[in-house]
Amino acid sequence: MADQSLPQDRPPLDAGAGSKTAASDASAQGISRRLLLGTAGATGLALGAAGGAVGYAARPADATPLTSLGAEEVMFHGKHQPGILQGLQARGHLIAFDLAAGAGRREAAALMRRWSDTARRLMAGEPTAHGDTDVARDAGPSSLTITFGFGHSFFARTGLERQRPVALDPLPDFSSDHLDKARSNGDLWVQIGANDALVAFHALRALQKDTGSAVRVRWQMNGFNRSPGATAHPMTARNLMGQIDGTRNPKPTDSDFDARIFVPENGEPAWMANGSYAVVRRIRMLLDDWEKLSVKQQEEVIGRRKSDGAPLSGGTETTAMDLEKTDEQGNPLVPLNAHARISRPDQNGGAAMLRRPFSYHDGIDADGVPDAGLLFICWQADPLRGFVPVQRKLDRGDALSTFIRHEASGLFAVPGGAAPGEYVGQKLLEG
């Protein structure tokens, strides 16, 4: 995990995904209709569990007046798909589908065409083309993003095995895995994020209605983050363990950011140009066990102070961690098995990934303990150079592993953004 903190007063990123804010024009043009229709988002926050701290895209969006949240719009068309480079959103839905019996490449292409049109309309704050439910009638776009990906099994079911990327090979097994196969993988994957819960649900329902008989739902997961404007000033998010989490990660200003996160223009296969690979993990936090620890013990597990996120070696949240610094007895101030130490890129051959998660809480399970944790989502140009090396290192001795459990997993190829007049995945399905 990179330890350079991101400036906490930077505006939301606009890097090819086309983010824009209508509120910025209010002083010149008066209060817009979308500004008046702005609504507050859902509650929550997020962590980057498997990779430790989350980064640029995984920090809260800069604080804005709640009345402006509904006006914020992200463009559907762009170099990259939306939902990768934007700031954290207050509400999220992850859903995977399998193609129905008898459905193949033709049905998949028709579905992606319908989905892309619906996503474009909804992200602009417009109703769907047919049978809109009016759930989000009174709201603006609320930073809605919709992202589409293809799983390993999709290619055999559509006769496109030769187009399946090598980077989409199944992830290796890890000792911390307790995976439920019914809630893992899938032919198609959709990520929905918004700063208003009803806007996010409206998008989820619209996409489900679009499926017709082409696919069936494999699994669905729902998450949340802290609402933009909920804190007195922009700050790094806290996770459900109460730790500040979001100090380290690749930043768009890094010279090698695009090379680490996105498939290059001349990459293989050609249809993945400007795309990325998403690793999705449902990571349960064993909160009852975690909360029995003292604050000092929790800090030693993570390697950072709970109050402000500063490394145990001293300084502030943005201070580089000193892995060699010791106490009077010669013990490392940052324990050798601390999560923040083990998951650092410089401890993993430079492995890096862009984390953009949602927290989740699915009630109390049969044993009477919280079913809560992290919907971990990380982006990289190649999972074998991003997620896998870090997770292998964590698997061998991360102090945090005692308090988390990986319960579901998926890996998806997410192609680049669609140009105007195109749909997502068109180069694959019609190439």
Side-chain angles (χ1 to χ4, degrees), residues 76-77 115-126 146:
F76 172 74
H77 295 296
W115 269 354
S116 295
D117 181 65
T118 295
R120 177 186 61 79
R121 291 171 181 273
L122 296 182
M123 286 175 55
E126 301 171 2
I146 301 174

Side-chain angles (χ1 to χ4, degrees), residues 174-193:
F174 302 104
S175 63
S176 59
D177 286 351
H178 296 77
L179 304 182
D180 178 356
K181 293 183 178 180
R183 293 194 294 180
S184 298
N185 301 312
D187 294 343
L188 292 160
W189 175 69
V190 181
Q191 173 191 253
I192 298 168

Side-chain angles (χ1 to χ4, degrees), residues 327-402:
D327 61 18
E328 294 178 354
Q329 288 74 43
N331 299 312
L333 289 177
V334 180
L336 296 178
N337 64 348
H339 184 72
R341 173 192 282 267
I342 291 178
S343 57
R344 288 167 57 99
D346 59 10
Q347 301 293 303
N348 295 279
M353 49 193 160
L354 184 65
R355 304 160 186 86
R356 194 176 182 277
F358 293 95
S359 292
Y360 77 87
H361 179 217
D362 289 339
I364 306 300
D365 70 10
D367 295 326
V369 297
D371 183 2
L374 178 81
L375 302 181
F376 173 80
I377 307 164
C378 71
W379 301 91
Q380 57 263 284
D382 183 352
L384 292 179
R385 294 187 289 113
F387 173 78
V388 171
V390 176
Q391 187 58 35
R392 279 178 171 158
K393 187 74 172 288
L394 293 169
D395 222 27
R396 292 196 292 267
D398 174 25
L400 185 60
S401 63
T402 303

Side-chain angles (χ1 to χ4, degrees), residues 65-126:
L66 291 179
T67 52
S68 75
L69 287 180
E72 295 183 357
E73 179 181 350
V74 179
M75 299 294 100
F76 172 74
H77 295 296
K79 182 177 181 180
H80 310 298
Q81 283 197 60
I84 303 175
L85 295 175
Q86 284 73 35
L88 289 180
Q89 294 148 302
R91 177 61 64 177
H93 300 291
L94 309 180
I95 185 165
F97 299 85
D98 286 335
L99 287 167
R105 180 174 178 178
R106 179 181 299 178
E107 290 77 13
L111 175 60
M112 294 307 303
R113 188 179 296 109
R114 293 195 299 273
W115 269 354
S116 295
D117 181 65
T118 295
R120 177 186 61 79
R121 291 171 181 273
L122 296 182
M123 286 175 55
E126 301 171 2

Side-chain angles (χ1 to χ4, degrees), residues 290-342:
W290 174 256
E291 291 163 4
K292 291 175 183 176
L293 301 180
S294 67
V295 170
K296 182 176 184 297
Q297 289 172 320
Q298 292 177 353
E299 291 176 338
E300 289 174 346
V301 168
I302 301 300
R304 291 181 175 273
R305 290 201 300 256
K306 193 170 185 179
S307 60
D308 59 5
L312 296 185
S313 54
T316 67
E317 182 188 351
T318 61
T319 302
M321 184 174 288
D322 186 346
L323 300 182
E324 306 302 322
K325 195 171 184 179
T326 60
D327 61 18
E328 294 178 354
Q329 288 74 43
N331 299 312
L333 289 177
V334 180
L336 296 178
N337 64 348
H339 184 72
R341 173 192 282 267
I342 291 178

Side-chain angles (χ1 to χ4, degrees), residues 212-274:
S213 59
V215 297
R216 58 179 178 82
V217 174
R218 181 177 178 88
W219 54 259
Q220 180 184 325
M221 301 174 189
N222 310 309
F224 56 88
N225 288 304
R226 173 173 283 157
S227 298
T231 55
H233 56 83
M235 61 176 291
T236 311
R238 289 187 184 271
N239 60 47
L240 297 190
M241 289 177 161
Q243 297 286 150
I244 285 182
D245 201 336
T247 305
R248 269 182 87 82
N249 227 11
K251 302 187 296 294
T253 53
D254 295 341
S255 60
D256 59 353
F257 178 84
D258 280 359
R260 289 184 173 196
I261 307 305
F262 295 110
V263 176
E265 293 272 4
N266 60 350
E268 292 293 335
W271 65 267
M272 275 294 293
N274 300 313

